[in-house]
Amino acid sequence: MHTILQTATRLGSARRSMHALLLFLTLLFANTAQAQEWHYTVRPGDNLWDVSTRYLSAVDYWPKLQALNGVTDPEHLPPGTKLRIPVAWLKRLPAKALVLAVQGQVQALIASTNKRVAVDPGLFLHQGDILGTGPDSNVTLKFADGSRVLLQADSELRLAILNARGQTPFVETRSRLEKGRADSEVTPRTTGAGNRYEIWTPAAHSAVRGTRYRISMDPTTATSRLEVLEGRVELQGGRKTRSIPKGFGTLAETGKPPLVPVALLPPPPLGELPPLVSRVPIRWSFPAVPEAAAYRAQVAPNEQFGFPLKAGQSCYR
């Protein structure tokens, strides 16, 4: 009898532990699903079939949508009602990237025609297109969510994925930097977890939700470098992910994990700049920053540096 009671006690304890685990997993998945939802406001005349056809990847999702929102009459939805829709159910529609500014010689290999074209401001680029910049050249792109990337000289960037989730604010932007340097200014994610902005390199890939950072790829050394100016960037390489905070940088060699982040060096004190510049190169002197081996400068027509006239130039002390 003592043995039976001990066994029953262990079984009861196991059931309680299992119940607690299931409850924890249920709450975990519920919170995850909620974080990845879009809330649609019902308009007059809407029904679940129309909403599913308009926004979801398959109309067959409407019974799930009905169950998720506890809808009793799928043919008549009260206007103003909020429908919870998981982002994963939404349609994937092609998005575009707009060329905002060009300096120097920039070309694009258009995926749909397999032809190279000269890149000018106002040109729309699509998924699969490849951008290439020449020496002393750069190009600024604006993506569907408002994020921008400045592709600097002697660089190559492939627009791997440009998607929008239905007619919603959720945008997926993934690019691959084969070589060179790209500076990103990513729009903060105020609409939930459905947005994604990533830049991949052969050595590592970065993922962010709203920040400013620089990433480069050197095919000669198979090394990718990352510098975070605002926010935080997750950098993955060699099956390991590191979180890089503001004011820090790291590098990753192909097949190896990113190194431990180190603090970025401060900018040099520029002192008095010439009031008028009439020719290039521009020359002026400033105190050296300890441990700095080289300096990278940008010349732009305004303080925002949105469209540099010159970018990616190195000045050695």
Side-chain angles (χ1 to χ4, degrees):
M1 178 65 70
H2 179 69
T3 302
I4 294 175
L5 287 175
Q6 279 189 323
T7 303
T9 301
R10 286 197 297 270
L11 287 174
S13 177
R15 288 193 186 97
R16 287 193 297 271
S17 299
M18 181 62 70
H19 177 73
L21 177 60
L22 290 174
L23 178 61
F24 169 76
L25 291 175
T26 300
L27 291 173
L28 176 63
F29 289 133
N31 290 336
T32 302
Q34 186 176 9
Q36 297 179 345
E37 287 178 353
W38 175 55
H39 290 178
Y40 171 73
T41 302
V42 174
R43 297 178 292 188
D46 274 345
N47 58 55
L48 281 190
W49 291 277
D50 291 340
V51 173
S52 299
T53 301
R54 193 181 310 135
Y55 296 105
L56 305 189
S57 58
V59 71
D60 297 343
Y61 275 117
W62 78 261
K64 297 180 180 179
L65 194 61
Q66 180 181 8
L68 178 64
N69 290 275
V71 174
T72 56
D73 185 356
E75 296 187 26
H76 301 92
L77 301 176
T81 302
K82 298 287 187 180
L83 291 180
R84 297 165 50 200
I85 302 179
V87 171
W89 297 1
L90 296 172
K91 289 180 180 178
R92 291 176 181 265
L93 301 177
K96 297 179 288 186
L98 173 64
V99 177
L100 292 180
V102 177
Q103 294 293 331
Q105 300 297 316
V106 181
Q107 289 191 334
L109 177 62
I110 305 302
S112 60
T113 62
N114 200 32
K115 294 182 178 180
R116 293 189 181 276
V117 300
V119 173
D120 295 312
L123 177 68
F124 282 103
L125 298 173
H126 302 81
Q127 180 172 301
D129 293 347
I130 301 175
L131 270 175
T133 58
D136 291 333
S137 302
N138 64 76
V139 58
T140 303
L141 296 182
K142 181 180 180 180
F143 296 106
D145 66 343
S147 297
R148 296 185 180 191
V149 63
L150 168 66
L151 187 65
Q152 299 205 20
D154 296 313
S155 300
E156 182 177 297
L157 183 74
R158 179 175 180 268
L159 305 178
I161 296 178
L162 298 179
N163 282 330
R165 291 283 191 164
Q167 302 173 39
T168 74
F170 298 111
V171 176
E172 184 177 10
T173 303
R174 295 188 190 181
S175 305
R176 181 175 174 88
L177 183 67
E178 296 292 347
K179 66 173 184 175
R181 187 177 177 89
D183 298 2
S184 294
E185 185 174 344
V186 185
T187 302
R189 304 315 191 204
T190 59
T191 53
N195 284 307
R196 177 174 292 175
Y197 184 98
E198 298 181 1
I199 294 184
W200 294 55
T201 73
H205 75 266
S206 59
V208 299
R209 288 177 180 269
T211 187
R212 289 180 60 230
Y213 72 105
R214 299 186 290 248
I215 189 168
S216 64
M217 180 65 201
D218 185 349
T220 305
T221 60
T223 301
S224 182
R225 296 176 181 272
L226 179 82
E227 302 148 22
V228 181
L229 305 181
E230 292 180 5
R232 183 178 294 270
V233 176
E234 303 296 322
L235 187 70
Q236 181 178 352
R239 298 183 180 182
K240 183 178 180 63
T241 300
R242 287 196 185 275
S243 183
I244 317 300
K246 172 183 176 180
F248 282 76
T250 185
L251 61 84
E253 296 182 43
T254 301
K256 298 181 181 179
L259 299 182
V260 175
V262 297
L264 300 177
L265 295 178
L270 297 182
E272 292 295 329
L273 298 177
L276 177 65
V277 176
S278 58
R279 64 179 62 183
V280 292
I282 305 170
R283 300 183 183 276
W284 73 89
S285 60
F286 51 85
V289 175
E291 301 184 48
Y295 303 94
R296 183 174 294 272
Q298 291 185 358
V299 178
N302 55 50
E303 295 181 0
Q304 286 70 40
F305 284 88
F307 312 112
L309 302 176
K310 293 287 183 179
Q313 301 301 304
S314 296
C315 309
Y316 293 86
R317 62 181 176 90

